[in-house]
Amino acid sequence: MLDATELIKDLQQMRDEGHLSDALLRQAVKRIAKADPRFDWVGVYLLNDGGDELWLHNYVGSPTEHAKIPVGTGVCGMAVAEKANLIVDDVSKVENYLACDPDVQSEMVVLIRAGDEIFGQIDLDSSDEAAFNEEDEEAISAVADKLAEQIAAERR
Ligand code: SME
Protein backbone atom coordinates (compact mmCIF):
# COMPACT_ATOMS: atom_id res chain seq x y z
CA MET A 1 0.00 0.00 0.00
CA LEU A 2 1.39 3.40 -0.98
CA ASP A 3 2.13 5.76 1.90
CA ALA A 4 1.31 8.95 0.01
CA THR A 5 1.99 11.22 2.99
CA GLU A 6 5.53 9.89 3.31
CA LEU A 7 6.19 10.17 -0.44
CA ILE A 8 4.81 13.72 -0.57
CA LYS A 9 7.03 14.69 2.36
CA ASP A 10 10.07 13.28 0.53
CA LEU A 11 9.12 15.06 -2.71
CA GLN A 12 8.83 18.34 -0.81
CA GLN A 13 12.25 17.71 0.72
CA MET A 14 13.67 17.21 -2.78
CA ARG A 15 12.13 20.56 -3.78
CA ASP A 16 13.65 22.22 -0.72
CA GLU A 17 17.03 20.83 -1.77
CA GLY A 18 16.62 22.38 -5.23
CA HIS A 19 15.61 19.38 -7.34
CA LEU A 20 13.44 20.12 -10.37
CA SER A 21 10.35 18.35 -11.70
CA ASP A 22 12.35 15.86 -13.79
CA ALA A 23 13.87 14.32 -10.64
CA LEU A 24 10.58 14.46 -8.74
CA LEU A 25 8.68 12.71 -11.54
CA ARG A 26 11.25 9.90 -11.64
CA GLN A 27 11.26 9.51 -7.86
CA ALA A 28 7.45 9.41 -7.69
CA VAL A 29 7.17 6.71 -10.37
CA LYS A 30 9.84 4.53 -8.72
CA ARG A 31 8.28 4.82 -5.27
CA ILE A 32 4.71 4.20 -6.45
CA ALA A 33 5.78 1.14 -8.46
CA LYS A 34 7.63 -0.29 -5.48
CA ALA A 35 4.79 0.38 -3.04
CA ASP A 36 2.21 -2.16 -4.15
CA PRO A 37 2.33 -5.53 -5.96
CA ARG A 38 -0.88 -4.59 -7.82
CA PHE A 39 1.00 -1.83 -9.64
CA ASP A 40 2.69 -3.76 -12.45
CA TRP A 41 3.42 -0.80 -14.70
CA VAL A 42 3.68 2.81 -13.52
CA GLY A 43 4.60 5.75 -15.70
CA VAL A 44 4.25 9.47 -16.19
CA TYR A 45 3.13 11.02 -19.46
CA LEU A 46 3.46 14.79 -19.97
CA LEU A 47 1.44 16.86 -22.44
CA ASN A 48 3.57 18.27 -25.25
CA ASP A 49 3.77 22.03 -25.87
CA GLY A 50 1.04 21.84 -28.50
CA GLY A 51 -1.23 20.18 -25.94
CA ASP A 52 -2.32 17.52 -28.44
CA GLU A 53 -0.07 14.60 -27.49
CA LEU A 54 1.09 12.81 -24.34
CA TRP A 55 4.80 11.98 -24.29
CA LEU A 56 6.11 9.26 -22.00
CA HIS A 57 8.48 10.84 -19.47
CA ASN A 58 9.57 7.82 -17.39
CA TYR A 59 8.21 4.46 -16.30
CA VAL A 60 8.82 1.26 -14.33
CA GLY A 61 7.64 -1.99 -15.96
CA SER A 62 7.67 -3.59 -19.40
CA PRO A 63 8.74 -1.44 -22.33
CA THR A 64 5.78 0.04 -24.23
CA GLU A 65 5.40 1.04 -27.86
CA HIS A 66 3.08 3.87 -26.76
CA ALA A 67 5.66 6.56 -26.07
CA LYS A 68 3.42 9.17 -27.74
CA ILE A 69 -0.36 9.10 -27.36
CA PRO A 70 -2.69 11.58 -29.11
CA VAL A 71 -5.16 13.34 -26.78
CA GLY A 72 -8.48 11.52 -27.12
CA THR A 73 -6.88 8.14 -27.87
CA GLY A 74 -6.66 5.24 -25.42
CA VAL A 75 -7.41 5.48 -21.71
CA CYS A 76 -4.55 7.96 -21.30
CA GLY A 77 -5.72 10.27 -24.07
CA MET A 78 -9.35 10.05 -22.99
CA ALA A 79 -8.50 11.17 -19.45
CA VAL A 80 -7.01 14.39 -20.87
CA ALA A 81 -9.89 14.94 -23.32
CA GLU A 82 -12.40 14.47 -20.50
CA LYS A 83 -10.24 16.40 -17.98
CA ALA A 84 -10.90 13.57 -15.50
CA ASN A 85 -9.14 10.72 -13.75
CA LEU A 86 -10.17 7.33 -15.10
CA ILE A 87 -10.37 3.90 -13.49
CA VAL A 88 -10.94 1.02 -15.92
CA ASP A 89 -11.77 -2.30 -14.24
CA ASP A 90 -11.54 -4.35 -17.44
CA VAL A 91 -9.47 -2.92 -20.28
CA SER A 92 -10.87 -5.47 -22.76
CA LYS A 93 -14.15 -3.53 -22.63
CA VAL A 94 -12.58 -0.22 -23.74
CA GLU A 95 -13.04 0.33 -27.46
CA ASN A 96 -9.92 2.37 -28.24
CA TYR A 97 -7.70 0.86 -25.54
CA LEU A 98 -3.99 0.91 -26.39
CA ALA A 99 -2.48 -2.38 -25.21
CA CYS A 100 1.06 -2.27 -23.85
CA ASP A 101 1.25 -5.76 -22.43
CA PRO A 102 -1.25 -8.62 -22.96
CA ASP A 103 -1.22 -9.37 -19.20
CA VAL A 104 -2.76 -6.01 -18.28
CA GLN A 105 -6.37 -6.25 -17.12
CA SER A 106 -7.08 -2.94 -15.40
CA GLU A 107 -5.77 0.61 -15.54
CA MET A 108 -5.96 3.90 -13.65
CA VAL A 109 -5.02 7.33 -14.95
CA VAL A 110 -4.63 10.24 -12.52
CA LEU A 111 -4.09 13.70 -13.99
CA ILE A 112 -1.23 15.97 -12.96
CA ARG A 113 -3.02 19.32 -13.01
CA ALA A 114 -3.33 22.78 -11.51
CA GLY A 115 -7.04 23.54 -11.72
CA ASP A 116 -8.01 23.51 -15.37
CA GLU A 117 -4.44 23.36 -16.60
CA ILE A 118 -3.34 19.77 -17.30
CA PHE A 119 0.40 19.04 -17.27
CA GLY A 120 0.20 15.27 -17.72
CA GLN A 121 -0.73 12.14 -15.84
CA ILE A 122 0.34 9.18 -13.76
CA ASP A 123 -0.69 5.96 -15.51
CA LEU A 124 -0.91 2.64 -13.64
CA ASP A 125 -1.55 -0.83 -15.12
CA SER A 126 -2.32 -4.05 -13.26
CA SER A 127 -2.50 -7.69 -14.27
CA ASP A 128 -5.33 -8.04 -11.72
CA GLU A 129 -8.86 -7.31 -12.85
CA ALA A 130 -10.40 -4.25 -11.14
CA ALA A 131 -7.17 -3.61 -9.23
CA PHE A 132 -7.75 0.09 -8.57
CA ASN A 133 -10.18 1.75 -6.16
CA GLU A 134 -11.05 5.26 -4.99
CA GLU A 135 -8.56 5.04 -2.14
CA ASP A 136 -5.76 4.46 -4.69
CA GLU A 137 -7.04 7.39 -6.75
CA GLU A 138 -6.96 9.66 -3.70
CA ALA A 139 -3.43 8.62 -2.75
CA ILE A 140 -2.04 8.98 -6.30
CA SER A 141 -3.91 12.30 -6.75
CA ALA A 142 -2.24 13.71 -3.65
CA VAL A 143 1.16 12.79 -5.13
CA ALA A 144 0.13 14.23 -8.51
CA ASP A 145 -0.77 17.54 -6.82
CA LYS A 146 2.71 17.80 -5.30
CA LEU A 147 4.27 17.13 -8.73
CA ALA A 148 1.97 19.75 -10.29
CA GLU A 149 3.15 22.32 -7.73
CA GLN A 150 6.74 21.92 -8.91
CA ILE A 151 5.87 21.85 -12.63
CA ALA A 152 3.76 25.02 -12.24
CA ALA A 153 6.60 26.75 -10.39
CA GLU A 154 8.97 25.99 -13.30
CA ARG A 155 6.58 27.39 -15.89
CA ARG A 156 5.90 30.70 -14.20
N1 SME B 1 -3.11 1.57 -21.97
C1 SME B 1 -2.87 2.96 -22.25
C2 SME B 1 -1.61 3.15 -23.04
C3 SME B 1 -0.42 3.33 -22.21
S1 SME B 1 0.17 1.90 -21.61
O1 SME B 1 -0.77 1.34 -20.65
C4 SME B 1 1.64 2.02 -20.97
C5 SME B 1 -4.05 3.56 -22.97
O2 SME B 1 -4.98 2.86 -23.37
O3 SME B 1 -4.02 4.77 -23.17
Side-chain angles (χ1 to χ4, degrees):
M1 184 75 197
L2 174 68
D3 184 343
T5 310
E6 185 70 21
L7 175 52
I8 290 163
K9 202 181 82 196
D10 292 347
L11 292 172
Q12 182 56 47
Q13 194 181 330
M14 288 176 74
R15 297 186 70 198
D16 295 342
E17 288 167 0
H19 288 286
L20 299 181
S21 59
D22 182 72
L24 271 69
L25 292 167
R26 290 173 197 281
Q27 178 69 6
V29 164
K30 268 193 212 135
R31 291 274 293 276
I32 294 168
K34 228 199 260 176
D36 199 306
R38 290 172 299 149
F39 304 165
D40 293 305
W41 191 96
V42 181
V44 161
Y45 284 91
L46 293 179
L47 262 186
N48 66 346
D49 284 345
D52 60 349
E53 254 183 1
L54 288 160
W55 291 358
L56 185 56
H57 175 272
N58 87 100
Y59 67 94
V60 171
S62 310
T64 173
E65 62 190 47
H66 303 296
K68 287 184 179 182
I69 299 176
V71 168
T73 302
V75 181
C76 295
M78 283 194 304
V80 176
E82 293 172 15
K83 293 185 186 290
N85 299 336
L86 291 178
I87 293 180
V88 176
D89 288 341
D90 180 354
V91 294
S92 72
K93 302 221 166 92
V94 176
E95 217 173 282
N96 69 358
Y97 173 68
L98 301 172
C100 285
D101 176 334
D103 287 343
V104 171
Q105 299 222 44
S106 56
E107 176 160 3
M108 176 167 75
V109 173
V110 173
L111 295 172
I112 301 171
R113 68 193 301 170
D116 249 4
E117 191 179 4
I118 296 173
F119 300 126
Q121 61 187 220
I122 302 174
D123 179 27
L124 297 93
D125 288 343
S126 181
S127 55
D128 299 344
E129 202 175 306
F132 305 104
N133 54 44
E134 272 179 35
E135 213 181 314
D136 297 319
E137 185 188 343
E138 261 174 46
I140 302 292
S141 276
V143 175
D145 288 349
K146 180 52 73 180
L147 297 171
E149 241 178 88
Q150 180 59 32
I151 295 170
E154 285 169 28
R155 295 190 184 185
R156 244 178 242 138

